[in-house]
Amino acid sequence: MLELGDHDLFTERDCISPQAPETGDVFDELHLAMKAAFAYQLSQGYIWRKGQSTPHPSGDGSTKKVIVRCNHYQKAKPKRKPGIDPSDQRRGKSIRTECFAHVNINYSRQAGVWKIGVTDWNHNHPPPIPEGGTARQRPTGEQVETIRKLATSTRQRFSRAQIAEALAVTGNGPELEPRQISALMTKHRREAQEQVLGMGGGFSAM
């Protein structure tokens, strides 16, 4: 399963036979325009994300244009340690292919709506989601907070299976994969440990 770039914009139920947004299509809100582009591309096996945004020249803090792109759009930047022979370097696993597929979404102040501008649906790579596959969704804020509390509990050390069961009981979000839960557990425990060490150690922190 693959992870969505902006899980809060749509669910897979929104992606039943979606139509490709066309230049000139109008939406009342920005997230609806983004949702239309994301849903159409998800139906084609591609995952998109929000790219650049351009502020309005008035300087009032509003947005003039937003570009949504394929999540492969950036250029891969390999990291190499100078002391290691090139033949021993690990092969990178970056998904970035400099894919240029994108959609411009422009705001019209006069009409108070968001309009689809330039559209480019051409990718330089095959769809990352196989036919019949699904995209992994990111955890919600409620799920992250639940994992944080249980992973850093001082009363009991909860296992991944126990935390997964707690998440299933609450039902506040998509079902998470075991590796997603493990990653969040490790992250929060590390942060808690660093906070304790920063306060002078366990006894001082207590």
Side-chain angles (χ1 to χ4, degrees), residues 71-84:
N71 68 343
H72 286 55
Y73 79 94
Q74 293 175 315
K75 182 178 181 179
K77 298 180 180 179
K79 297 181 180 179
R80 297 288 183 263
K81 294 184 177 180
I84 300 180

Side-chain angles (χ1 to χ4, degrees), residues 10 71 75 85 87 92 94 96 124 144 158 160 171 173 178 185:
F10 65 96
N71 68 343
K75 182 178 181 179
D85 187 274
S87 61
S94 174
R96 300 175 178 179
N124 64 359
V144 171
F158 291 91
R160 184 177 69 182
M185 290 172 61

Side-chain angles (χ1 to χ4, degrees), residues 30-192:
L30 173 60
H31 78 92
L32 296 177
M34 294 175 62
K35 178 178 178 179
F38 287 6
Y40 168 64
Q41 283 295 278
L42 183 60
S43 72
Q44 303 300 306
Y46 296 98
I47 299 174
W48 276 36
R49 56 176 291 187
K50 182 180 178 180
Q52 301 92 329
S53 60
T54 303
H56 197 275
S58 63
D60 61 359
S62 61
T63 302
K64 178 183 178 181
K65 180 175 72 173
V66 172
I67 303 176
V68 292
R69 298 179 177 276
C70 172
N71 68 343
H72 286 55
Y73 79 94
Q74 293 175 315
K75 182 178 181 179
K77 298 180 180 179
K79 297 181 180 179
R80 297 288 183 263
K81 294 184 177 180
I84 300 180
D85 187 274
S87 61
D88 295 328
Q89 298 281 2
R90 295 179 60 186
R91 179 176 296 180
K93 297 181 180 180
S94 174
I95 65 172
R96 300 175 178 179
T97 63
E98 296 186 83
C99 181
F100 196 67
H102 71 285
V103 169
N104 292 351
I105 307 174
N106 305 299
Y107 182 65
S108 172
R109 280 204 165 192
Q110 292 181 343
V113 296
W114 293 87
K115 294 184 178 181
I116 299 295
V118 175
T119 61
D120 187 338
W121 307 110
N122 298 311
H123 296 264
N124 64 359
H125 59 93
I129 304 177
E131 186 174 353
T134 58
R136 182 180 66 191
Q137 299 212 30
R138 291 181 180 177
T140 63
E142 291 82 358
Q143 289 178 315
V144 171
E145 182 61 17
T146 298
I147 295 174
R148 184 193 68 78
K149 289 180 178 179
L150 297 180
T152 59
S153 173
T154 57
R155 297 183 178 181
Q156 177 182 344
R157 187 173 180 84
F158 291 91
S159 67
R160 184 177 69 182
Q162 290 173 318
I163 293 179
E165 181 64 24
L167 293 173
V169 171
T170 58
N172 294 326
E175 181 179 355
L176 302 182
E177 292 184 2
R179 59 179 176 177
Q180 288 179 288
I181 299 175
S182 295
L184 286 170
M185 290 172 61
T186 301
K187 173 180 178 293
H188 292 307
R189 284 174 177 170
R190 182 176 62 249
E191 290 175 350

